[in-house]
Amino acid sequence: MNAFTRQLPKLMLALTALQLSAPALAQVKAPADSSNQVVVPQVDRRDVRLPRFPSNDFEAGLFGGAFSTQNFGASAVGGLRVGYHITEDWFVEAALGRTTVSDEAFTRVLPGGIFTPGNEKLQYANLSAAVNLLPGEVFFGRDNAKPSSVFLIGGVGTTKFNGQRQQGFNLGVGMKVFLRDWAAVRIDMRDHIFSVDLLGKRETTHNLELSTGVSFFF
């Protein structure tokens, strides 16, 4: 009994401390579960019309330059091109060109020349594919640079010359310098390969064309 009597004051003090701390513990609340809270916006939504931006995949342009017809010399050439860019590296293109061929060099050998009026129209229509090989920049001065690309191009087509229409090929190289996102200056060098029958002899000819022009993208 003496041991219990000695421990009784300590037990009474512990019970008193527990009673005093119970109200403080009751005031502590568990944190709210934020996952169960749903925020409902009170803003009325409105219809938004999305702007339409051009893709710039289509290309159209005019060109002019010199066309060297084998055996007949060089003359002015002009035409137009329409293309579609499949990817950043590949594009396809259709081109129409026209030049006037003179037989003046043959009049020294053949009286009256080869062509009855002295001049003959040469027209071609080509469908080609091209690949961009060297994208880069062209600098104009120290602080002005424009994007550029060098490409290889080749395809098939038809050529009408001296009353004959022949199938042929074209191979070449070109360069574009972009002045804006929608405009570029272009330089092309092309070899038009087709057969022609003159003076009763058919032969395959190589006809070089050097041209420059402008292209617009939309």
Side-chain angles (χ1 to χ4, degrees):
M1 296 295 293
N2 293 333
F4 178 76
T5 303
R6 287 195 300 269
Q7 298 294 332
L8 183 60
K10 296 180 179 181
L11 293 175
M12 295 298 294
L13 291 175
L15 290 174
T16 302
L18 183 60
Q19 292 176 355
L20 293 174
S21 61
L25 293 174
Q27 295 178 358
V28 179
K29 296 181 180 180
D33 187 3
S34 59
S35 63
N36 294 330
Q37 295 181 356
V38 178
V39 179
V40 180
Q42 301 298 325
V43 180
D44 295 334
R45 299 186 180 275
R46 62 186 180 90
D47 295 333
V48 178
R49 179 177 296 178
L50 298 177
R52 297 182 61 185
F53 297 98
S55 63
N56 289 348
D57 292 335
F58 292 92
E59 177 183 355
L62 302 174
F63 68 90
F67 191 99
S68 179
T69 309
Q70 182 173 322
N71 301 325
F72 292 95
S75 55
V77 65
L80 57 89
R81 300 187 181 101
V82 177
Y84 177 74
H85 291 256
I86 304 172
T87 66
E88 292 183 356
D89 297 326
W90 291 90
F91 66 92
V92 293
E93 177 182 274
L96 298 175
R98 181 174 180 176
T99 184
T100 300
V101 181
S102 174
D103 64 351
E104 181 179 356
F106 286 87
T107 58
R108 303 172 185 175
V109 180
L110 298 176
I114 296 177
F115 311 133
T116 301
N119 295 319
E120 184 69 24
K121 300 295 184 182
L122 185 151
Q123 302 176 359
Y124 66 81
N126 294 329
L127 181 61
S128 307
V131 56
N132 294 315
L133 294 181
L134 298 174
E137 291 182 333
V138 173
F139 288 86
F140 298 91
R142 298 177 57 185
D143 302 324
N144 191 5
K146 298 297 182 182
S148 65
S149 65
V150 177
F151 58 89
L152 294 178
I153 189 168
V156 297
T158 62
T159 302
K160 183 179 180 181
F161 178 51
N162 194 31
Q164 307 171 39
R165 185 178 296 275
Q166 301 292 335
Q167 294 183 348
F169 306 91
N170 74 93
L171 299 172
V173 62
M175 181 178 182
K176 296 178 184 177
V177 179
F178 294 85
L179 305 179
R180 294 288 189 272
D181 293 340
W182 49 270
V185 175
R186 177 168 167 172
I187 301 174
D188 284 77
M189 185 171 62
R190 203 78 56 91
D191 182 12
H192 297 266
I193 306 169
F194 58 88
S195 298
V196 63
D197 185 357
L198 295 175
L199 302 177
K201 181 180 179 181
R202 178 174 297 277
E203 63 176 336
T204 299
T205 61
H206 293 265
N207 308 272
L208 300 181
E209 178 187 44
L210 179 62
S211 65
T212 183
V214 292
S215 295
F216 301 95
F217 301 87
F218 55 94

